[in-house]
Amino acid sequence: RKFLIANAQMKNCGIIYCNEGFCQMFGFARAEIMQQPCTCQFLVGPGTMKSALAQLAQALLGSEERKVEILYYAKEGTCRPCLVDIVPVKNEEGIVIMFILDFQELIDQILQCSMLV
């Protein structure tokens, strides 16, 4: 698995944890990722669609699980097509306190991605 956890009660839903799989997939050290907005602007590149970013931002405003397909880029510039599963975590009062974002690499789209370069 490749995932991160964000604090929904912080401005920009700052990343409070990311696992080693996420770090390896995108080539960043954990320290570089912590406190970044969970929209992962640091992974945006020339092929990232604004509509996908808008869907991701919209999902972070809601309280229901959503999936978004998005093209992100690793630190060294390699494109990484992903299906991001945005899962809100609620407290006892039903208030969203965290988001878990699970990143699944879309292997079948990597070939298309290499044609963009």
Side-chain angles (χ1 to χ4, degrees), residues 2 4 22 26 40 72 82-84 101-105:
K2 299 153 185 87
L4 59 83
F22 181 88
F26 293 108
C40 298
Y72 276 139
C82 297
L83 178 64
V84 183
L101 281 74
D102 185 59
F103 294 74
Q104 180 182 341
E105 197 162 14

Side-chain angles (χ1 to χ4, degrees), residues 1 55-56 58-68 83-90 96 98-104:
R1 296 202 154 243
Q55 287 176 36
L56 184 61
Q58 189 67 35
L60 294 168
L61 294 174
S63 59
E64 301 299 319
E65 184 172 351
R66 298 264 307 265
K67 293 182 189 297
V68 176
L83 178 64
V84 183
D85 190 8
I86 302 112
V87 182
V89 178
K90 301 174 186 175
V96 177
M98 288 186 286
F99 286 101
I100 299 171
L101 281 74
D102 185 59
F103 294 74
Q104 180 182 341

Side-chain angles (χ1 to χ4, degrees), residues 39-64:
T39 51
C40 298
Q41 291 296 320
F42 61 98
L43 301 177
V44 171
T48 307
M49 301 291 287
K50 285 185 175 27
S51 59
L53 289 170
Q55 287 176 36
L56 184 61
Q58 189 67 35
L60 294 168
L61 294 174
S63 59
E64 301 299 319

Side-chain angles (χ1 to χ4, degrees), residues 103-115:
F103 294 74
Q104 180 182 341
E105 197 162 14
L106 298 171
I107 304 299
D108 58 328
Q109 292 185 19
I110 290 176
L111 182 60
Q112 293 173 344
C113 185
S114 62
M115 291 182 213

